[in-house]
Amino acid sequence: QKEVEQNSGPLSVPEGAIASLNCTYSDRGSQSFFWYRQYSGKSPELIMSIYSNGDKEDGRFTAQLNKASQYVSLLIRDSQPSDSATYLCAVLEGIYGGSQGNLIFGKGTKLSVKP
Amino acid sequence: GAGVSQSPSNKVTEKGKDVELRCDPISGHTALYWYRQSLGQGLEFLIYFQGNSAPDKSGLPSDRFSAERTGGSVSTLTIQRTQQEDSAVYLCASSVRLAGELFFGEGSRLTVL
């Protein structure tokens, strides 16, 4: 069974620090990777997508992908209390036989940024 | 509307009753997903529709669950003979050109007494 693994946390960092969130996945055929943020009581919202090995930066967020190690990470620089949320890693299943893959979510890492 | 719309936002039902949950995706989005999220848990995939292709039903937990998508737009998730373990937030999401970039609705919270 294809899996996406995350440390459930909680991960606690002081305001202004770098928060590092990690994710591993089992499907070697996966090519597309996503980070969603979910505030308590709210629905997930997409914050980053990454498709190629290396780093992708968007403002204070950097996504990192290493397909050989089947590893995805999200770095949040200058963390703010408003970043406190659960961060969900999602992996699009590899496409086999022309069928569209499913998007599989990890259970999420809860981040708490302390003022 | 601008976003994914789900109804009802809250549903309380008695064990054994049937429920229907509705999702109206963003106009023009061809893919529609249903997920379930129990308290403090991750997102559990239920079913996926893509255009006119046959839906991927591999996540439906039992034959009490079914879903349809009419005219490539609105979708209804039906749970028959509800059980207490069906209590969860049911999330619908849609996407356009890139699979994986989903826009979620606010969810339907189902409580089975």
Side-chain angles (χ1 to χ4, degrees):
Chain A
Q1 184 169 343
K2 296 164 186 171
E3 295 181 338
V4 177
E5 300 285 346
Q6 295 181 255
N7 188 324
S8 62
L11 173 66
S12 184
V13 300
E15 183 174 357
I18 295 176
S20 177
L21 304 162
N22 304 314
C23 171
T24 59
Y25 60 94
S26 63
D27 183 7
R28 284 197 170 275
S30 295
Q31 299 294 322
S32 305
F33 308 87
F34 308 86
W35 285 98
Y36 284 78
R37 177 177 61 199
Q38 186 174 25
Y39 290 114
S40 181
K42 299 295 186 182
S43 296
E45 57 178 331
L46 178 68
I47 55 172
M48 288 286 286
S49 58
I50 187 166
Y51 306 97
S52 304
N53 279 329
D55 295 0
K56 178 182 178 181
E57 186 175 320
D58 183 0
R60 295 186 296 111
F61 298 95
T62 298
Q64 299 175 316
L65 173 61
N66 184 326
K67 292 182 182 178
S69 301
Q70 296 174 241
Y71 178 89
V72 193
S73 66
L74 179 71
L75 301 178
I76 306 175
R77 291 182 301 281
D78 187 24
S79 295
Q80 302 297 309
S82 58
D83 295 327
S84 298
T86 296
Y87 289 80
L88 303 169
C89 174
V91 176
L92 190 66
E93 283 184 320
I95 297 175
Y96 305 103
S99 64
Q100 181 72 57
N102 178 24
L103 187 64
I104 300 176
F105 283 84
K107 294 188 184 301
T109 298
K110 187 172 184 178
L111 173 66
S112 177
V113 181
K114 304 295 187 184
Chain B
V4 177
S5 178
Q6 291 189 246
S7 62
S9 55
N10 271 289
K11 176 72 175 179
V12 180
T13 190
E14 294 179 347
K15 178 181 174 181
K17 295 288 180 70
D18 297 352
V19 297
E20 283 190 351
L21 308 176
R22 175 190 167 101
C23 174
D24 196 349
I26 293 172
S27 178
H29 282 197
T30 58
L32 186 149
Y33 298 75
W34 282 98
Y35 289 88
R36 177 169 72 174
Q37 189 171 36
S38 301
L39 188 63
Q41 300 299 308
L43 273 69
E44 176 188 3
F45 166 73
L46 298 177
I47 188 169
Y48 160 69
F49 297 88
Q50 171 60 47
N52 295 320
S53 302
D56 178 350
K57 304 179 181 180
S58 61
L60 294 178
S62 78
D63 59 7
R64 296 186 296 105
F65 288 73
S66 63
E68 63 177 17
R69 188 178 184 191
T70 55
S73 181
V74 172
S75 177
T76 301
L77 176 68
T78 301
I79 309 173
Q80 296 178 310
R81 305 182 302 282
T82 52
Q83 304 294 312
Q84 288 182 332
E85 60 263 28
D86 298 335
S87 296
V89 176
Y90 288 81
L91 291 164
C92 176
S94 68
S95 67
V96 58
R97 51 185 175 79
L98 286 178
E101 297 187 355
L102 304 187
F103 294 83
F104 282 86
E106 291 302 311
S108 293
R109 181 177 297 277
L110 174 65
T111 304
V112 182
L113 301 177

